[in-house]
Amino acid sequence: MPIITLTTDFGNDDPFDGVMKGVILNISPDVKIVDLTHNVLPQDIYQANFLLSACYHYFPEGTIHVCVVDPGVGSQRKPVLIQTKKYFFIGPDNGLFTSVLEKEEIVNVVELTEKKYWLSNVSQTFHGRDIFAPVAAHLTKGVAVNDFGKQINRSDLVKLKINKPIKTDNGYKGIIQYIDHFGNLITNISSELINGKVKGKLKNHYFQDLVSSFAEAKNNTLTAIKGSSGYLELFVYKGNAQMFADLNVGDEVEIALI
Amino acid sequence: MPIITLTTDFGNDDPFDGVMKGVILNISPDVKIVDLTHNVLPQDIYQANFLLSACYHYFPEGTIHVCVVDPGVGSQRKPVLIQTKKYFFIGPDNGLFTSVLEKEEIVNVVELTEKKYWLSNVSQTFHGRDIFAPVAAHLTKGVAVNDFGKQINRSDLVKLKINKPIKTDNGYKGIIQYIDHFGNLITNISSELINGKVKGKLKNHYFQDLVSSFAEAKNNTLTAIKGSSGYLELFVYKGNAQMFADLNVGDEVEIALI
Amino acid sequence: MPIITLTTDFGNDDPFDGVMKGVILNISPDVKIVDLTHNVLPQDIYQANFLLSACYHYFPEGTIHVCVVDPGVGSQRKPVLIQTKKYFFIGPDNGLFTSVLEKEEIVNVVELTEKKYWLSNVSQTFHGRDIFAPVAAHLTKGVAVNDFGKQINRSDLVKLKINKPIKTDNGYKGIIQYIDHFGNLITNISSELINGKVKGKLKNHYFQDLVSSFAEAKNNTLTAIKGSSGYLELFVYKGNAQMFADLNVGDEVEIALI
């Protein structure tokens, strides 16, 4: 039985995700629903794009990833269903799937226009419940992708401009692209670019070395590690690097390979 | 297989809801359990009543809604099971189901007294785990409603006094009844009462117009929209209306239909 | 179908637990996954030990409890699988299971060394995803416990030093071992030690009596009750005892039996 994942900025206080699950189970009682996270920063499409692209491929082939971070809900932005070789992605066409689609082979893209697969009353503010959840549920029941609407070109999908690291004489210049719950700072510099050791600078903070486990680091010291999402991370052992160094997403980081 | 939903004020820090799921699965291994929310404000029966009545009907017929916001746990307040034409509701008899029962056709109401369907050791502080979860689980296994205890009259159920909007010369006077994670202010004025445009006042803030999508609103402007839960909402586009205007649940709102 | 529970300090903001679920379902599509909590305080092994030991036994026999609070991830600390007569426990060998193992009959302990049951790329920072989740999933598919690695002695497992209450002339001296979402203060004094009434002192606050339901207590008064996790608790009715009395985990409590 297929899996539907949910990624939203609804938070954990309101029952918005619970209602989406009710809608899905009403149509497709046996589906498995997994929360990826509901705590994307409100309306932060860039963060949703990063988190989704870091996680989607851990799920079985055929998984339907529904992502609802949707500041343009009810406006002219298109609701879309994207079929790739291995997965399905459903959500607003606002760039949420930019990084995923750099990695996946697209098979089909459909603008959701066929209202018989939506709830009968569609609000102007909650398409997660009224359009995306029921479409995902009907997809698990065998409705063909093309039945949900009209095919559109891949090139018509909205794309975010994602900040990529820049090669320097002796290393790379990048940014902090995400900060996790532990205060670890995830850069946009891929771990694959790094062989051997590094030293670097993050705003006015310097760091040296590249440890291979958190426990190898000195206390109270900003330290680099190849993180679990495939990027160079900066952390403070048994501490919180964000609070330690007062840093934020978007701050510049520069490394030298040594 | 029936679905059990959970609505509580337990928060997401403690494993209280996880334990309820263990108890349920121990009795009924195949049931689906869906969290509606565990972040009802502590002991806020009115908020739970609102959230439950806004959500329960999105679930399939036969769904068992367990709601545990229970300041009177262990006292004389009754534990109840309410069967309506389409659903079951289980929780303390403290008014939690007031708004639901205005909409649903009641079939049977039972006070939970039959201890063989409870955990063998019942604490005085956690009936969610010790009474409500096991009763919900046994209900999915085919135990008849009347076997859980003694029938009581619908009229004996505790009812909350719910604030309703008042008709004025040219519109309605109501209150903010809920504020969501985005800071959107949900009034108690039903969208069905509104045809055409509105203007209004919320404490010392004025608003005009009624947009049909968030994106139609001007920035930094308190704006009205027909919200997804069926009530007039006030929001600030790409902002947080609660913080913008320093408003709270219970604040008065007045609208004129124009 | 077996159940896998997850207890971590990952929080609800990041999709770390969601990714673990993807990994599990990729290997074992029919398993049920239950979140116990993801809000253990970051790297607080003692809190995880307490919460797990208060909850694990509410789940059906055969349940696999995965616990990932793992400050030593990537260092020499062992990843382990512990089989008891009724359950399985999977996580880092850092003392997380200390209190559970005082209560359960151990059958087998294995250090996880067999890499064919891990993800093919193991990070140095996220063994929850790369080792513990796939091992739990393979266990549900019938892989024998001894196939996951090499047997080790129970006595080689790391044990936490857990603070136990001390008998005094007329009662017990203990500590606050946990504070829940409602601000209730859970001591380490087992309710079984108490017959009749108590009076006591918590730092500079005095309390008297032992009520049998929250609603019996006076307002604005620190009051004792036998709590749902089997320990004496202190609470303030319709209030928050932690905020009322500015107390913390580790604070000393002394009771006299009267």
Side-chain angles (χ1 to χ4, degrees), chain C residues 224-254:
Chain C
I225 193 166
K226 292 180 179 182
S228 64
S229 53
Y231 296 97
L232 189 75
E233 286 184 29
L234 296 160
F235 72 99
V236 172
Y237 183 51
K238 295 197 177 176
N240 182 307
Q242 178 180 31
M243 293 200 281
F244 175 80
D246 193 20
L247 294 160
N248 276 304
V249 167
D251 284 345
E252 283 196 6
V253 59
E254 194 168 348

PDB file of all heavy atoms in Angstrom, chain C residues 224-254:
ATOM      1  N   ALA C 224       0.179  17.247  47.013  1.00  0.00           N
ATOM      2  CA  ALA C 224       0.740  15.947  46.626  1.00  0.00           C
ATOM      3  C   ALA C 224      -0.358  14.996  46.157  1.00  0.00           C
ATOM      4  O   ALA C 224      -1.488  15.035  46.644  1.00  0.00           O
ATOM      5  CB  ALA C 224       1.485  15.329  47.808  1.00  0.00           C
ATOM      6  N   ILE C 225       0.000  14.145  45.201  1.00  0.00           N
ATOM      7  CA  ILE C 225      -0.912  13.136  44.682  1.00  0.00           C
ATOM      8  C   ILE C 225      -0.080  11.947  44.206  1.00  0.00           C
ATOM      9  O   ILE C 225       1.091  12.108  43.855  1.00  0.00           O
ATOM     10  CB  ILE C 225      -1.771  13.725  43.527  1.00  0.00           C
ATOM     11  CG1 ILE C 225      -2.951  12.812  43.175  1.00  0.00           C
ATOM     12  CG2 ILE C 225      -0.913  13.995  42.289  1.00  0.00           C
ATOM     13  CD1 ILE C 225      -4.001  13.499  42.290  1.00  0.00           C
ATOM     14  N   LYS C 226      -0.677  10.757  44.235  1.00  0.00           N
ATOM     15  CA  LYS C 226      -0.008   9.608  43.626  1.00  0.00           C
ATOM     16  C   LYS C 226      -0.208   9.711  42.111  1.00  0.00           C
ATOM     17  O   LYS C 226      -1.322   9.613  41.623  1.00  0.00           O
ATOM     18  CB  LYS C 226      -0.584   8.302  44.161  1.00  0.00           C
ATOM     19  CG  LYS C 226      -0.255   8.075  45.642  1.00  0.00           C
ATOM     20  CD  LYS C 226      -0.839   6.757  46.165  1.00  0.00           C
ATOM     21  CE  LYS C 226      -0.466   6.572  47.641  1.00  0.00           C
ATOM     22  NZ  LYS C 226      -0.980   5.284  48.195  1.00  0.00           N
ATOM     23  N   GLY C 227       0.891   9.933  41.387  1.00  0.00           N
ATOM     24  CA  GLY C 227       0.794  10.250  39.961  1.00  0.00           C
ATOM     25  C   GLY C 227       0.643   9.028  39.081  1.00  0.00           C
ATOM     26  O   GLY C 227       0.775   7.883  39.534  1.00  0.00           O
ATOM     27  N   SER C 228       0.399   9.282  37.796  1.00  0.00           N
ATOM     28  CA  SER C 228       0.082   8.191  36.869  1.00  0.00           C
ATOM     29  C   SER C 228       1.296   7.366  36.463  1.00  0.00           C
ATOM     30  O   SER C 228       1.151   6.299  35.884  1.00  0.00           O
ATOM     31  CB  SER C 228      -0.583   8.766  35.613  1.00  0.00           C
ATOM     32  OG  SER C 228       0.319   9.604  34.927  1.00  0.00           O
ATOM     33  N   SER C 229       2.501   7.852  36.781  1.00  0.00           N
ATOM     34  CA  SER C 229       3.676   7.055  36.415  1.00  0.00           C
ATOM     35  C   SER C 229       4.206   6.254  37.594  1.00  0.00           C
ATOM     36  O   SER C 229       5.286   5.679  37.536  1.00  0.00           O
ATOM     37  CB  SER C 229       4.765   7.952  35.826  1.00  0.00           C
ATOM     38  OG  SER C 229       5.049   9.017  36.699  1.00  0.00           O
ATOM     39  N   GLY C 230       3.422   6.229  38.702  1.00  0.00           N
ATOM     40  CA  GLY C 230       3.798   5.378  39.829  1.00  0.00           C
ATOM     41  C   GLY C 230       4.618   6.076  40.893  1.00  0.00           C
ATOM     42  O   GLY C 230       5.107   5.438  41.824  1.00  0.00           O
ATOM     43  N   TYR C 231       4.761   7.392  40.764  1.00  0.00           N
ATOM     44  CA  TYR C 231       5.545   8.149  41.740  1.00  0.00           C
ATOM     45  C   TYR C 231       4.702   9.247  42.359  1.00  0.00           C
ATOM     46  O   TYR C 231       3.722   9.711  41.764  1.00  0.00           O
ATOM     47  CB  TYR C 231       6.772   8.788  41.073  1.00  0.00           C
ATOM     48  CG  TYR C 231       7.749   7.785  40.538  1.00  0.00           C
ATOM     49  CD1 TYR C 231       7.738   7.422  39.194  1.00  0.00           C
ATOM     50  CD2 TYR C 231       8.694   7.190  41.372  1.00  0.00           C
ATOM     51  CE1 TYR C 231       8.634   6.486  38.695  1.00  0.00           C
ATOM     52  CE2 TYR C 231       9.598   6.255  40.880  1.00  0.00           C
ATOM     53  CZ  TYR C 231       9.553   5.906  39.544  1.00  0.00           C
ATOM     54  OH  TYR C 231      10.435   4.976  39.058  1.00  0.00           O
ATOM     55  N   LEU C 232       5.108   9.678  43.551  1.00  0.00           N
ATOM     56  CA  LEU C 232       4.483  10.842  44.179  1.00  0.00           C
ATOM     57  C   LEU C 232       4.728  12.067  43.301  1.00  0.00           C
ATOM     58  O   LEU C 232       5.856  12.314  42.858  1.00  0.00           O
ATOM     59  CB  LEU C 232       5.097  11.063  45.566  1.00  0.00           C
ATOM     60  CG  LEU C 232       4.371  12.116  46.425  1.00  0.00           C
ATOM     61  CD1 LEU C 232       3.067  11.537  46.964  1.00  0.00           C
ATOM     62  CD2 LEU C 232       5.258  12.586  47.562  1.00  0.00           C
ATOM     63  N   GLU C 233       3.657  12.827  43.041  1.00  0.00           N
ATOM     64  CA  GLU C 233       3.775  14.054  42.259  1.00  0.00           C
ATOM     65  C   GLU C 233       3.305  15.248  43.068  1.00  0.00           C
ATOM     66  O   GLU C 233       2.446  15.128  43.935  1.00  0.00           O
ATOM     67  CB  GLU C 233       2.878  13.988  41.003  1.00  0.00           C
ATOM     68  CG  GLU C 233       3.391  13.100  39.921  1.00  0.00           C
ATOM     69  CD  GLU C 233       2.515  13.143  38.653  1.00  0.00           C
ATOM     70  OE1 GLU C 233       1.876  14.179  38.386  1.00  0.00           O
ATOM     71  OE2 GLU C 233       2.488  12.116  37.958  1.00  0.00           O
ATOM     72  N   LEU C 234       3.849  16.416  42.739  1.00  0.00           N
ATOM     73  CA  LEU C 234       3.380  17.661  43.330  1.00  0.00           C
ATOM     74  C   LEU C 234       2.805  18.525  42.224  1.00  0.00           C
ATOM     75  O   LEU C 234       3.379  18.622  41.135  1.00  0.00           O
ATOM     76  CB  LEU C 234       4.525  18.368  44.049  1.00  0.00           C
ATOM     77  CG  LEU C 234       5.029  17.514  45.224  1.00  0.00           C
ATOM     78  CD1 LEU C 234       6.410  17.919  45.652  1.00  0.00           C
ATOM     79  CD2 LEU C 234       4.040  17.608  46.384  1.00  0.00           C
ATOM     80  N   PHE C 235       1.654  19.131  42.516  1.00  0.00           N
ATOM     81  CA  PHE C 235       0.971  19.908  41.480  1.00  0.00           C
ATOM     82  C   PHE C 235       0.277  21.108  42.111  1.00  0.00           C
ATOM     83  O   PHE C 235       0.145  21.192  43.339  1.00  0.00           O
ATOM     84  CB  PHE C 235      -0.057  19.028  40.742  1.00  0.00           C
ATOM     85  CG  PHE C 235      -1.271  18.706  41.571  1.00  0.00           C
ATOM     86  CD1 PHE C 235      -2.451  19.418  41.411  1.00  0.00           C
ATOM     87  CD2 PHE C 235      -1.221  17.710  42.543  1.00  0.00           C
ATOM     88  CE1 PHE C 235      -3.568  19.139  42.189  1.00  0.00           C
ATOM     89  CE2 PHE C 235      -2.327  17.431  43.330  1.00  0.00           C
ATOM     90  CZ  PHE C 235      -3.507  18.142  43.150  1.00  0.00           C
ATOM     91  N   VAL C 236      -0.169  22.027  41.264  1.00  0.00           N
ATOM     92  CA  VAL C 236      -1.033  23.133  41.681  1.00  0.00           C
ATOM     93  C   VAL C 236      -2.284  23.044  40.821  1.00  0.00           C
ATOM     94  O   VAL C 236      -2.197  23.070  39.594  1.00  0.00           O
ATOM     95  CB  VAL C 236      -0.325  24.492  41.486  1.00  0.00           C
ATOM     96  CG1 VAL C 236      -1.299  25.645  41.728  1.00  0.00           C
ATOM     97  CG2 VAL C 236       0.864  24.603  42.426  1.00  0.00           C
ATOM     98  N   TYR C 237      -3.444  22.920  41.451  1.00  0.00           N
ATOM     99  CA  TYR C 237      -4.690  22.703  40.709  1.00  0.00           C
ATOM    100  C   TYR C 237      -4.991  23.885  39.793  1.00  0.00           C
ATOM    101  O   TYR C 237      -4.971  25.037  40.226  1.00  0.00           O
ATOM    102  CB  TYR C 237      -5.852  22.485  41.680  1.00  0.00           C
ATOM    103  CG  TYR C 237      -7.172  22.171  40.989  1.00  0.00           C
ATOM    104  CD1 TYR C 237      -7.244  21.157  40.040  1.00  0.00           C
ATOM    105  CD2 TYR C 237      -8.322  22.880  41.299  1.00  0.00           C
ATOM    106  CE1 TYR C 237      -8.450  20.866  39.406  1.00  0.00           C
ATOM    107  CE2 TYR C 237      -9.536  22.583  40.682  1.00  0.00           C
ATOM    108  CZ  TYR C 237      -9.583  21.586  39.733  1.00  0.00           C
ATOM    109  OH  TYR C 237     -10.763  21.297  39.103  1.00  0.00           O
ATOM    110  N   LYS C 238      -5.289  23.602  38.546  1.00  0.00           N
ATOM    111  CA  LYS C 238      -5.516  24.613  37.508  1.00  0.00           C
ATOM    112  C   LYS C 238      -4.363  25.608  37.430  1.00  0.00           C
ATOM    113  O   LYS C 238      -4.550  26.752  36.997  1.00  0.00           O
ATOM    114  CB  LYS C 238      -6.862  25.337  37.721  1.00  0.00           C
ATOM    115  CG  LYS C 238      -8.040  24.378  37.556  1.00  0.00           C
ATOM    116  CD  LYS C 238      -9.361  25.100  37.356  1.00  0.00           C
ATOM    117  CE  LYS C 238     -10.480  24.064  37.112  1.00  0.00           C
ATOM    118  NZ  LYS C 238     -11.808  24.673  37.006  1.00  0.00           N
ATOM    119  N   GLY C 239      -3.187  25.174  37.845  1.00  0.00           N
ATOM    120  CA  GLY C 239      -2.004  26.021  37.747  1.00  0.00           C
ATOM    121  C   GLY C 239      -0.812  25.197  37.289  1.00  0.00           C
ATOM    122  O   GLY C 239      -0.973  24.089  36.793  1.00  0.00           O
ATOM    123  N   ASN C 240       0.372  25.755  37.472  1.00  0.00           N
ATOM    124  CA  ASN C 240       1.600  25.132  37.009  1.00  0.00           C
ATOM    125  C   ASN C 240       2.580  25.134  38.175  1.00  0.00           C
ATOM    126  O   ASN C 240       3.096  26.189  38.564  1.00  0.00           O
ATOM    127  CB  ASN C 240       2.132  25.943  35.813  1.00  0.00           C
ATOM    128  CG  ASN C 240       3.383  25.343  35.215  1.00  0.00           C
ATOM    129  OD1 ASN C 240       4.355  25.095  35.923  1.00  0.00           O
ATOM    130  ND2 ASN C 240       3.351  25.095  33.912  1.00  0.00           N
ATOM    131  N   ALA C 241       2.803  23.957  38.756  1.00  0.00           N
ATOM    132  CA  ALA C 241       3.611  23.882  39.977  1.00  0.00           C
ATOM    133  C   ALA C 241       5.041  24.333  39.738  1.00  0.00           C
ATOM    134  O   ALA C 241       5.664  24.939  40.612  1.00  0.00           O
ATOM    135  CB  ALA C 241       3.587  22.451  40.532  1.00  0.00           C
ATOM    136  N   GLN C 242       5.566  24.037  38.564  1.00  0.00           N
ATOM    137  CA  GLN C 242       6.940  24.453  38.306  1.00  0.00           C
ATOM    138  C   GLN C 242       7.066  25.976  38.331  1.00  0.00           C
ATOM    139  O   GLN C 242       7.978  26.521  38.949  1.00  0.00           O
ATOM    140  CB  GLN C 242       7.398  23.936  36.935  1.00  0.00           C
ATOM    141  CG  GLN C 242       8.814  24.384  36.594  1.00  0.00           C
ATOM    142  CD  GLN C 242       9.282  23.872  35.245  1.00  0.00           C
ATOM    143  OE1 GLN C 242       8.506  23.681  34.329  1.00  0.00           O
ATOM    144  NE2 GLN C 242      10.577  23.633  35.147  1.00  0.00           N
ATOM    145  N   MET C 243       6.126  26.647  37.683  1.00  0.00           N
ATOM    146  CA  MET C 243       6.198  28.113  37.664  1.00  0.00           C
ATOM    147  C   MET C 243       5.804  28.691  39.012  1.00  0.00           C
ATOM    148  O   MET C 243       6.375  29.676  39.463  1.00  0.00           O
ATOM    149  CB  MET C 243       5.308  28.650  36.542  1.00  0.00           C
ATOM    150  CG  MET C 243       5.859  28.263  35.174  1.00  0.00           C
ATOM    151  SD  MET C 243       5.237  29.287  33.830  1.00  0.00           S
ATOM    152  CE  MET C 243       3.625  28.549  33.568  1.00  0.00           C
ATOM    153  N   PHE C 244       4.846  28.072  39.660  1.00  0.00           N
ATOM    154  CA  PHE C 244       4.390  28.521  40.980  1.00  0.00           C
ATOM    155  C   PHE C 244       5.548  28.575  41.970  1.00  0.00           C
ATOM    156  O   PHE C 244       5.674  29.500  42.764  1.00  0.00           O
ATOM    157  CB  PHE C 244       3.321  27.545  41.480  1.00  0.00           C
ATOM    158  CG  PHE C 244       2.823  27.770  42.865  1.00  0.00           C
ATOM    159  CD1 PHE C 244       1.866  28.756  43.123  1.00  0.00           C
ATOM    160  CD2 PHE C 244       3.277  26.996  43.916  1.00  0.00           C
ATOM    161  CE1 PHE C 244       1.378  28.954  44.408  1.00  0.00           C
ATOM    162  CE2 PHE C 244       2.794  27.188  45.203  1.00  0.00           C
ATOM    163  CZ  PHE C 244       1.851  28.176  45.453  1.00  0.00           C
ATOM    164  N   ALA C 245       6.398  27.573  41.890  1.00  0.00           N
ATOM    165  CA  ALA C 245       7.384  27.420  42.953  1.00  0.00           C
ATOM    166  C   ALA C 245       8.817  27.509  42.442  1.00  0.00           C
ATOM    167  O   ALA C 245       9.754  27.298  43.194  1.00  0.00           O
ATOM    168  CB  ALA C 245       7.146  26.078  43.659  1.00  0.00           C
ATOM    169  N   ASP C 246       8.988  27.833  41.161  1.00  0.00           N
ATOM    170  CA  ASP C 246      10.321  28.001  40.578  1.00  0.00           C
ATOM    171  C   ASP C 246      11.242  26.813  40.888  1.00  0.00           C
ATOM    172  O   ASP C 246      12.310  26.977  41.476  1.00  0.00           O
ATOM    173  CB  ASP C 246      10.945  29.310  41.080  1.00  0.00           C
ATOM    174  CG  ASP C 246      12.182  29.660  40.262  1.00  0.00           C
ATOM    175  OD1 ASP C 246      12.318  29.143  39.138  1.00  0.00           O
ATOM    176  OD2 ASP C 246      13.009  30.431  40.772  1.00  0.00           O
ATOM    177  N   LEU C 247      10.787  25.647  40.509  1.00  0.00           N
ATOM    178  CA  LEU C 247      11.511  24.427  40.849  1.00  0.00           C
ATOM    179  C   LEU C 247      12.084  23.766  39.612  1.00  0.00           C
ATOM    180  O   LEU C 247      11.674  24.052  38.493  1.00  0.00           O
ATOM    181  CB  LEU C 247      10.543  23.471  41.555  1.00  0.00           C
ATOM    182  CG  LEU C 247      10.083  24.018  42.908  1.00  0.00           C
ATOM    183  CD1 LEU C 247       8.805  23.346  43.346  1.00  0.00           C
ATOM    184  CD2 LEU C 247      11.185  23.830  43.952  1.00  0.00           C
ATOM    185  N   ASN C 248      13.050  22.886  39.832  1.00  0.00           N
ATOM    186  CA  ASN C 248      13.693  22.222  38.709  1.00  0.00           C
ATOM    187  C   ASN C 248      13.977  20.759  38.994  1.00  0.00           C
ATOM    188  O   ASN C 248      14.002  20.333  40.154  1.00  0.00           O
ATOM    189  CB  ASN C 248      14.997  22.930  38.360  1.00  0.00           C
ATOM    190  CG  ASN C 248      14.736  24.119  37.464  1.00  0.00           C
ATOM    191  OD1 ASN C 248      14.133  23.964  36.413  1.00  0.00           O
ATOM    192  ND2 ASN C 248      15.136  25.293  37.921  1.00  0.00           N
ATOM    193  N   VAL C 249      14.223  20.027  37.926  1.00  0.00           N
ATOM    194  CA  VAL C 249      14.641  18.642  38.078  1.00  0.00           C
ATOM    195  C   VAL C 249      15.899  18.612  38.944  1.00  0.00           C
ATOM    196  O   VAL C 249      16.797  19.432  38.778  1.00  0.00           O
ATOM    197  CB  VAL C 249      14.900  18.007  36.694  1.00  0.00           C
ATOM    198  CG1 VAL C 249      15.635  16.687  36.831  1.00  0.00           C
ATOM    199  CG2 VAL C 249      13.573  17.808  35.959  1.00  0.00           C
ATOM    200  N   GLY C 250      15.943  17.688  39.885  1.00  0.00           N
ATOM    201  CA  GLY C 250      17.082  17.571  40.783  1.00  0.00           C
ATOM    202  C   GLY C 250      16.840  18.210  42.131  1.00  0.00           C
ATOM    203  O   GLY C 250      17.554  17.919  43.091  1.00  0.00           O
ATOM    204  N   ASP C 251      15.844  19.097  42.233  1.00  0.00           N
ATOM    205  CA  ASP C 251      15.554  19.723  43.531  1.00  0.00           C
ATOM    206  C   ASP C 251      15.127  18.661  44.540  1.00  0.00           C
ATOM    207  O   ASP C 251      14.412  17.719  44.214  1.00  0.00           O
ATOM    208  CB  ASP C 251      14.444  20.772  43.392  1.00  0.00           C
ATOM    209  CG  ASP C 251      14.961  22.067  42.756  1.00  0.00           C
ATOM    210  OD1 ASP C 251      16.186  22.251  42.701  1.00  0.00           O
ATOM    211  OD2 ASP C 251      14.129  22.872  42.310  1.00  0.00           O
ATOM    212  N   GLU C 252      15.556  18.853  45.795  1.00  0.00           N
ATOM    213  CA  GLU C 252      15.281  17.853  46.834  1.00  0.00           C
ATOM    214  C   GLU C 252      13.873  17.981  47.396  1.00  0.00           C
ATOM    215  O   GLU C 252      13.368  19.079  47.597  1.00  0.00           O
ATOM    216  CB  GLU C 252      16.281  17.991  47.984  1.00  0.00           C
ATOM    217  CG  GLU C 252      17.616  17.387  47.621  1.00  0.00           C
ATOM    218  CD  GLU C 252      18.485  17.159  48.841  1.00  0.00           C
ATOM    219  OE1 GLU C 252      18.016  17.365  49.984  1.00  0.00           O
ATOM    220  OE2 GLU C 252      19.647  16.762  48.637  1.00  0.00           O
ATOM    221  N   VAL C 253      13.293  16.834  47.659  1.00  0.00           N
ATOM    222  CA  VAL C 253      11.984  16.789  48.289  1.00  0.00           C
ATOM    223  C   VAL C 253      12.076  15.838  49.482  1.00  0.00           C
ATOM    224  O   VAL C 253      12.797  14.841  49.426  1.00  0.00           O
ATOM    225  CB  VAL C 253      10.898  16.334  47.280  1.00  0.00           C
ATOM    226  CG1 VAL C 253      11.202  14.969  46.724  1.00  0.00           C
ATOM    227  CG2 VAL C 253       9.516  16.379  47.889  1.00  0.00           C
ATOM    228  N   GLU C 254      11.397  16.188  50.568  1.00  0.00           N
ATOM    229  CA  GLU C 254      11.447  15.359  51.764  1.00  0.00           C
ATOM    230  C   GLU C 254      10.017  15.165  52.248  1.00  0.00           C
ATOM    231  O   GLU C 254       9.260  16.131  52.328  1.00  0.00           O
ATOM    232  CB  GLU C 254      12.284  16.067  52.841  1.00  0.00           C
ATOM    233  CG  GLU C 254      12.651  15.144  53.964  1.00  0.00           C
ATOM    234  CD  GLU C 254      13.723  15.750  54.882  1.00  0.00           C
ATOM    235  OE1 GLU C 254      14.326  16.782  54.502  1.00  0.00           O
ATOM    236  OE2 GLU C 254      13.925  15.186  55.971  1.00  0.00           O
TER     237      GLU C 254
END
